[in-house]
Amino acid sequence: VEIKTSKAGVPNVYISNEHQLDYTVWENLYLGVISLNESAGNDNTLTSLIQEITEILEDRTDLLQIFKEKLSLVGVPAEMIDSYNDINYIIRRKFFYKVEKNFPLIIPTILANEALFNVKYQIDINSCKSFEVKEEEVLITYYG
């Protein structure tokens, strides 16, 4: 499952490379889009979510280390976490799409040229309605 966030009212998501939605290398691939409302405040902030996950993982030092490394990789190093305490995020809606043939995407086989790589693009999620599935289908696929 590739998860992306989108501000409520902005029906597009950013795909950061041609491998991110390459359904040909997975038995099942889904795109999850979480539509968020943003507001000022310090409830439901990225900082509070990071702290909550850190507390859940505190007895699993291996997973906690991986979590911290991934945060750093996406541009949220430990020393910067407190700077994400000003914006409150509220989940408005979750959408899930089955990524398969004819889904709007760019993958390596479509590029068909090794000189083209690191392709970034946006998808208008309103154009993906025919690929929409219920969250339960995604969960059943992965958890039986």
Side-chain angles (χ1 to χ4, degrees):
V1 179
E2 178 67 38
I3 301 291
K4 298 291 183 179
T5 57
S6 175
K7 289 183 184 177
V10 181
N12 61 342
V13 293
Y14 292 88
I15 307 301
S16 59
N17 66 61
E18 68 277 13
H19 300 284
Q20 216 163 33
L21 295 181
D22 189 354
Y23 67 93
T24 64
V25 298
W26 299 99
E27 185 174 330
N28 291 291
L29 180 61
Y30 295 92
L31 172 64
V33 179
I34 301 172
S35 177
L36 300 173
N37 282 337
E38 291 182 347
S39 62
N42 53 10
D43 293 329
N44 297 318
T45 64
L46 183 57
T47 301
S48 65
L49 182 58
I50 291 169
Q51 289 169 343
E52 183 180 334
I53 293 169
T54 300
E55 288 172 12
I56 291 169
L57 297 176
E58 71 183 354
D59 293 334
R60 294 288 312 270
T61 56
D62 55 333
L63 293 178
L64 183 57
Q65 183 59 34
I66 291 169
F67 177 64
K68 289 179 179 181
E69 288 170 5
K70 290 190 182 274
L71 280 174
S72 185
L73 284 172
V74 296
V76 186
E79 62 273 5
M80 296 294 292
I81 290 173
D82 287 339
S83 63
Y84 292 93
N85 207 26
D86 297 331
I87 299 174
N88 183 23
Y89 297 96
I90 299 169
I91 295 175
R92 184 168 183 186
R93 186 161 178 221
K94 298 180 213 172
F95 303 89
F96 292 89
Y97 305 93
K98 174 93 170 148
V99 181
E100 57 191 357
K101 186 177 180 183
N102 297 322
F103 190 86
L105 50 69
I106 298 172
I107 59 176
T109 55
I110 292 173
L111 292 174
N113 188 321
E114 292 177 11
L116 299 172
F117 64 97
N118 201 20
V119 177
K120 295 171 178 48
Y121 59 100
Q122 295 180 45
I123 296 176
D124 177 356
I125 59 172
N126 288 332
S127 67
C128 300
K129 294 216 182 287
S130 64
F131 299 94
E132 192 168 357
V133 297
K134 296 195 178 301
E135 182 176 1
E136 292 77 27
E137 179 179 328
V138 178
L139 295 174
I140 288 170
T141 298
Y142 291 100
Y143 298 110

